[in-house]
Amino acid sequence: MLGNEAIARALVENGCSVAASYPGTPASEILSAAVRWRKECDVPMHIQWAVNEKVALEIAYTASIAGLRSAVSMKQVGLNVASDPLMSAAYTGVEGGFLVISADDPGPHSSQTEQDSRLLAMAAKVPVLDPSSPAHAMELVGIGYELSETFRIPAMLRPTTRVCHACQDILPGIPGPLRRNADFHKSPERWAATPAYRYELHRKLSETLSSVAAWPRTAPLRLNPGATGPLAVVASGVASAHAEEILRESGLWDRLPFYRVVQPYPLHTAFVIHLLGAHDEILVLEETEPVIEMQLADRRRVRGRMTGAVSEAGELLPEIVERAIARFAGLTEKPETPAEKGVGRRPTLCAGCPHRSSFYAIKKAAPRGIYPSDIGCYTLGLNLGGVDTVLCMGAAVSQAAGFYQAYRLSGKKVDIVATIGDSTFFHAGIPPLVDAVVQGARFVLVILDNSTTAMTGYQATPATGEGAAGEPTVPVDMEAMVRGCGVEFCKVGIPGRMPEFTKLLKEAIAFSHERGPAVVIAREPCVMDRKQAGIPKPRRKVRVNEECDGCRHCTEQFECPALVYDDGGQRVFVDTLQCTGCGVCLHVCPRGAIVEEGPMGENA
């Protein structure tokens, strides 16, 4: 099983009744796998993609206070969005077991931050479990529910990318007999506590954490009890799996005590006392921040990321762990081998992607404009010169407003064209759009509507009209939503029709300068989404003729992978294996050297 499939399987086997999520790598597959396991095991569950992580957490948490087991999953950046209800949920506690699954991305491989969810768990005072493998993650789901219900507190599971996306042979279990009916017991002093009660809840939460720090089920494991000596290695998560393997292979297994921490926060009190009493020096290996290291009080004897014994940032790859252990144990370190320089070209939008057409048209309509953008595959519009800023989900809209206000104060008028994906718009783009209307900010917002959440695996959006399992849902009317925010100019265009779409953008820009925010919905299906593959679309066979002078305008400003510059011939040709036949490039070459040969056949 994939790690995320193992986590999903464990949710089903442990009686999770409500699971909600917003897609984000590396956690995206958890919910879709839960749909599959639910069907296979024939168990009643409510599973849904929510509009954002905060909403997902609030839905799942509410099922918990009604007595059901529930879970919410997200990536680490999503936990920022959900942090508000998480902080309060720790105070008010749970009835049915409640798991917050926040998948971290050390590296980072596909994230805008390398943050550590365990630090937010500490801030919220929520215990967190740190799996080292897919099978371990599966086991910790059950322990997490047990912990949550024993202490009536939310529990966090923090897998990392290497756990989520690793595969391991795992024999599925049988879903347990645990089935409950929702039964909410009213207790306003708890569930709707005023500040005076909140103080009391905080005091009780601190007492609960002390008990959690003594719970045997999550105590650190001594993996080599036969080893003795003044030095010890403490590790958690994937770093502990690497460390175990390296200690065995290097001959240190029988002479260097090794502890695996399952619950990094709160660290078990008895373990801290034992560790500092039994060993003179301790090496801590953990991703990403020094959460365990911070809880070990003696700075003079503890080595880790805070002391420089381990690099302060980045993924703890096996070779990094090996060098850290060798230094700590006084062995000769293997020389660091510089990674070979990768080959191939930089990441770019897919051939035929409608976003490429949108960015090209935006640059034509507002060539000296400012282009705030957002989080999604369309961030690759950076390569096309169509993205100037990317901050966080929804920030394209508020940054566009911020640019307008800044230039207004300076007495300058500038074209501002922001871009945001359809799913991101529903996630976090609506509140700043309302604010822009209220404040009279003047810019164009282009909603890149490809009718899916493409970057994370083609999950549905609120406008798609289907749920997590493909069941029909009530689709949200995006145009009505935009107009409901108070936007007077809201029109839909097809980016593949380049001349018309560029004209529409110019019209929106002119409106924005005079009246306020204007919204253009660039609507065209994602070319990689198989669910939309049946939508008929004319396909045109194109070629580059002799007029091409090798100026590279098409490869640098349009950057379609199907347009390839031939160094030998010093001109561009069409890679027919990649060309989708969208025909947009017919409008790109300044010399008109890209021409149509006719309709694209099945085998073209």
Side-chain angles (χ1 to χ4, degrees):
M1 289 185 202
L2 196 70
N4 283 341
E5 293 174 325
I7 292 170
R9 177 74 192 193
L11 293 178
V12 174
E13 291 181 5
N14 284 278
C16 175
S17 295
V18 174
S21 179
Y22 181 82
T25 305
S28 302
E29 298 88 357
I30 295 174
L31 201 78
S32 51
V35 169
R36 192 170 74 249
W37 291 128
R38 174 189 66 175
K39 183 178 180 182
E40 185 171 300
C41 299
D42 191 24
V43 295
M45 285 179 72
H46 173 74
I47 300 175
Q48 74 161 86
W49 292 115
V51 71
N52 63 34
E53 296 85 355
K54 178 177 181 290
V55 173
L57 191 147
E58 289 163 349
I59 290 170
Y61 174 67
T62 303
S64 164
I65 69 174
L68 305 181
R69 283 188 171 182
S70 61
V72 60
S73 60
M74 62 197 76
K75 70 179 299 176
Q76 88 280 12
V77 183
L79 190 60
N80 300 342
V81 181
S83 62
D84 200 3
L86 174 66
M87 300 286 169
S88 284
Y91 278 45
T92 50
V94 306
E95 290 297 316
F98 178 46
L99 282 188
V100 178
I101 304 169
S102 182
D104 283 0
D105 186 21
H109 297 277
S110 59
S111 306
Q112 60 267 48
T113 67
E114 199 185 6
Q115 67 193 61
D116 191 325
S117 294
R118 300 177 305 166
L119 287 176
L120 265 177
M122 288 180 72
K125 294 194 171 183
V126 167
V128 55
L129 306 178
D130 203 358
S132 59
S133 67
H136 196 207
M138 194 171 185
E139 177 190 357
L140 290 186
V141 167
I143 293 176
Y145 274 130
E146 192 179 339
L147 187 160
S148 178
E149 293 185 344
T150 299
F151 299 97
R152 303 175 77 185
I153 188 172
M156 182 183 292
L157 183 72
R158 198 286 297 240
T160 58
T161 302
R162 301 291 177 181
V163 172
C164 293
H165 290 167
C167 286
Q168 189 173 9
D169 291 335
I170 302 173
L171 189 63
I174 300 171
L178 179 69
R179 291 289 172 263
R180 300 171 179 168
N181 294 319
D183 187 15
F184 176 63
H185 293 269
K186 293 187 178 183
S187 177
E189 65 276 11
R190 179 182 178 190
W191 304 122
T194 56
Y197 284 113
R198 293 278 168 163
Y199 170 76
E200 181 62 20
L201 291 173
H202 188 191
R203 193 187 60 75
K204 287 182 178 177
L205 175 59
S206 297
E207 291 176 358
T208 299
L209 282 178
S210 298
S211 301
V212 172
W215 198 47
R217 294 280 283 137
T218 55
L221 305 173
R222 173 74 180 272
L223 297 186
N224 54 352
T228 59
L231 306 182
V233 174
V234 176
S236 72
V238 171
S240 73
H242 295 329
E244 179 180 352
E245 188 175 332
I246 289 162
L247 288 171
R248 290 183 186 278
E249 291 179 350
S250 63
L252 292 169
W253 186 253
D254 296 326
R255 57 193 176 96
L256 187 56
F258 175 53
Y259 300 85
R260 170 174 290 161
V261 173
V262 176
Q263 180 184 284
Y265 177 80
L267 199 57
H268 280 64
T269 307
F271 170 68
V272 174
I273 294 171
H274 163 78
L275 198 65
L276 295 176
H279 304 287
D280 295 335
E281 291 188 38
I282 299 143
L283 174 67
V284 181
L285 300 167
E286 57 184 326
E287 293 175 322
T288 304
E289 300 295 335
V291 171
I292 297 172
E293 194 180 344
M294 281 191 290
Q295 296 174 82
L296 297 172
D298 195 336
R299 295 269 71 79
R300 296 166 301 175
R301 295 190 286 144
V302 179
R303 311 278 180 265
R305 297 197 117 148
M306 295 176 72
T307 66
V310 182
S311 56
E312 290 185 6
E315 192 174 14
L316 291 187
L317 299 170
E319 55 269 29
I320 295 174
V321 172
E322 185 175 16
R323 285 197 295 275
I325 291 176
R327 275 197 303 273
F328 181 66
L331 303 180
T332 303
E333 293 181 44
K334 287 184 180 178
E336 188 171 352
T337 306
E340 292 185 12
K341 192 172 182 180
V343 295
R345 59 187 170 196
R346 61 182 178 175
T348 186
L349 295 167
C350 304
C353 175
H355 299 337
R356 175 178 288 103
S357 312
S358 294
F359 285 118
Y360 193 81
I362 288 169
K363 288 191 300 177
K364 287 190 73 173
R368 289 178 294 280
I370 298 176
Y371 312 128
S373 192
D374 227 291
I375 307 294
C377 54
Y378 51 89
T379 306
L380 291 170
L382 187 70
N383 297 346
L384 304 171
V387 171
D388 289 327
T389 66
V390 176
L391 184 63
C392 61
M393 297 282 273
V397 188
S398 36
Q399 286 197 293
F403 279 124
Y404 167 73
Q405 301 296 2
Y407 276 86
R408 181 182 63 81
L409 290 173
S410 303
K412 298 179 181 177
K413 186 178 288 187
V414 61
D415 294 340
I416 302 167
V417 184
T419 47
I420 190 170
D422 48 343
S423 185
T424 311
F425 174 70
F426 286 116
H427 179 285
I430 296 170
L433 184 59
V434 171
D435 187 84
V437 170
V438 171
Q439 298 298 328
R442 298 182 178 185
F443 60 87
V444 175
L445 174 64
V446 180
I447 302 176
L448 302 167
D449 181 9
N450 60 6
S451 303
T452 188
T453 314
M455 189 176 185
T456 49
Y458 316 110
Q459 293 85 4
T461 76
T464 308
E466 66 175 26
E471 75 278 14
T473 59
V474 178
V476 172
D477 184 333
M478 184 181 288
E479 293 92 302
M481 175 70 76
V482 170
R483 294 192 182 98
C485 292
V487 175
E488 296 179 28
F489 185 106
C490 176
K491 294 188 178 182
V492 179
I494 299 174
R497 298 174 185 170
M498 181 77 77
E500 298 147 48
F501 190 70
T502 306
K503 183 179 177 184
L504 175 59
L505 287 172
K506 289 179 178 177
E507 180 187 352
I509 291 168
F511 178 92
S512 70
H513 283 308
E514 300 300 324
R515 304 280 294 276
V519 171
V520 173
I521 300 174
R523 182 165 290 154
E524 196 168 330
C526 172
V527 292
M528 298 299 290
D529 186 4
R530 294 178 181 175
K531 289 179 293 187
Q532 302 182 69
I535 297 174
K537 191 176 180 181
R539 299 291 174 192
R540 291 177 280 186
K541 188 174 183 180
V542 299
R543 69 178 178 86
V544 180
N545 67 19
E546 296 72 20
E547 293 297 315
C548 175
D549 62 357
C551 72
R552 302 197 191 194
H553 176 85
C554 61
T555 56
E556 293 177 357
Q557 297 299 315
F558 193 62
E559 204 184 50
C560 177
L563 295 172
V564 182
Y565 181 78
D566 177 16
D567 287 316
Q570 295 191 329
R571 53 176 295 185
V572 171
F573 68 92
V574 176
D575 181 348
T576 55
L577 292 177
Q578 295 205 59
C579 181
T580 66
C582 69
V584 177
C585 58
L586 294 168
H587 306 286
V588 169
C589 178
R591 295 178 61 85
I594 303 175
V595 297
E596 181 174 355
E597 285 195 321
M600 177 179 273
E602 290 296 324
N603 300 319

